[in-house]
Structure formats: structure tokens, C-alpha cells
Amino acid sequence: MQAASLLIRAKARGVMVATAESCTGGLISAAITEVPGSSAIFDRGFVTYTNAAKVQMLGVKQATLDAHGAVSQETAAEMAAGALAASTAQVAVAVTGIAGPGGSDHKPEGLVCFGLATADRTRTQAYEFGAIGRHNVRMATVAHALDLLLLALDQFPVKN
């Protein structure tokens, strides 16, 4: 439902979307491309599970990873900005988190950091889904990322 709504709203605005995914391993891209006609709005997705992939494919700074870790709003911001820069999209969403099992007191299981980039700004948020299990964290992350993309489309005018 969310991905179908994304297709309709992005198409009406002539907006292309890109994704940068770590903890979801491509599930956001899969949800979008599950919808027939998604090629009209989906440019590309980056699955950057390792830190090296984040650096090589998205231009995440090693200094950011060293200072804040892979699961941080700072890394999510650089992932989103990198996906936007490396694509023809007008909006990019990025996710990096701890799906579980595991985590720490500082970065618990279920913590996911989101980045959302457009030409004029990049914003981030951290969300704690809780220790609801790996599958559930990943599915909740996909849903939240799609919601963020839908909200981001509001800044783009509908084309006639």
C-alpha cells in the first residue's frame, strides 16, 4: 500500500527515488519495485552492509564511521546524501541500524537511524523499534522509510 502510494505521488511530481540500505539489505528497494510501473520513479538502490561499502559506494567518510559508528544519524545522513549524489533521483532515503539479535546499552537492538536527502537539505532521525526480533525490526524499518519518502514528496509540486 505504501509503495503503491509512493509510486502515484512521485509520478505525479516527476520525482525519482533512490535508497541506501544497510540493515534492511535491499528490502526497501524490493518493496518499491514490487509495484508494477515502479521504474517510472525508482532510480536505484544501494545495499551497503559493510563500512567499506558505505565508504566506496556512497562516499561516507571513514572519519564519520570512526567517530560515530555505522549506526548513527551522522552515517545515515552521509549515506542519504551519497545516494542522492550517485543517482539521478531527487530524493533518497538511507537506513542503518541494529536489527538484532544483539546490541548494546548505547545502541540497543531495534535502533535504526534514518537519513533523507533532497537537493536542499538532508535530515535524520533515530528510532527505537525495540527488541521485537530481526524480521520485525526490518519490516518496521521498511514501513518507516516509505513513510519518510511519502512525506518528503510534499515539498515537490505536482506537475500538470
Side-chain angles (χ1 to χ4, degrees):
M1 179 69 170
Q2 289 170 296
S5 295
L6 179 68
L7 173 64
I8 292 165
R9 290 177 68 185
K11 194 171 181 180
R13 290 161 172 79
V15 172
M16 295 294 285
V17 173
T19 63
E21 303 181 60
S22 187
C23 63
T24 50
L27 292 173
I28 300 166
S29 298
I32 294 169
T33 59
E34 181 71 21
V35 180
S38 57
S39 61
I41 63 104
F42 186 71
D43 181 54
R44 67 192 75 187
F46 300 88
V47 177
T48 56
Y49 214 69
T50 66
N51 287 352
K54 290 172 181 64
V55 171
Q56 293 165 3
M57 296 175 71
L58 300 173
V60 172
K61 296 179 191 83
Q62 187 62 51
T64 301
L65 293 166
D66 292 343
H68 304 285
V71 179
S72 66
Q73 290 183 65
E74 293 82 1
T75 297
E78 289 184 17
M79 289 173 67
L84 192 68
S87 71
T88 61
Q90 290 76 44
V91 62
V93 68
V95 298
T96 181
I98 301 170
S104 67
D105 289 340
H106 182 62
K107 293 184 180 182
E109 179 179 334
L111 171 66
V112 179
C113 297
F114 295 84
L116 188 70
T118 58
D120 60 337
R121 78 182 218 193
T122 300
R123 55 191 174 271
T124 64
Q125 67 176 216
Y127 194 91
E128 288 191 33
F129 294 105
I132 58 175
R134 184 176 183 81
H135 175 77
N136 292 330
V137 169
R138 288 163 45 107
M139 292 300 101
T141 300
V142 170
H144 192 70
L146 292 173
D147 282 344
L148 290 175
L149 286 169
L150 284 165
L151 289 172
L153 290 173
D154 290 341
Q155 75 178 17
F156 296 95
V158 174
K159 296 194 174 193
N160 293 325

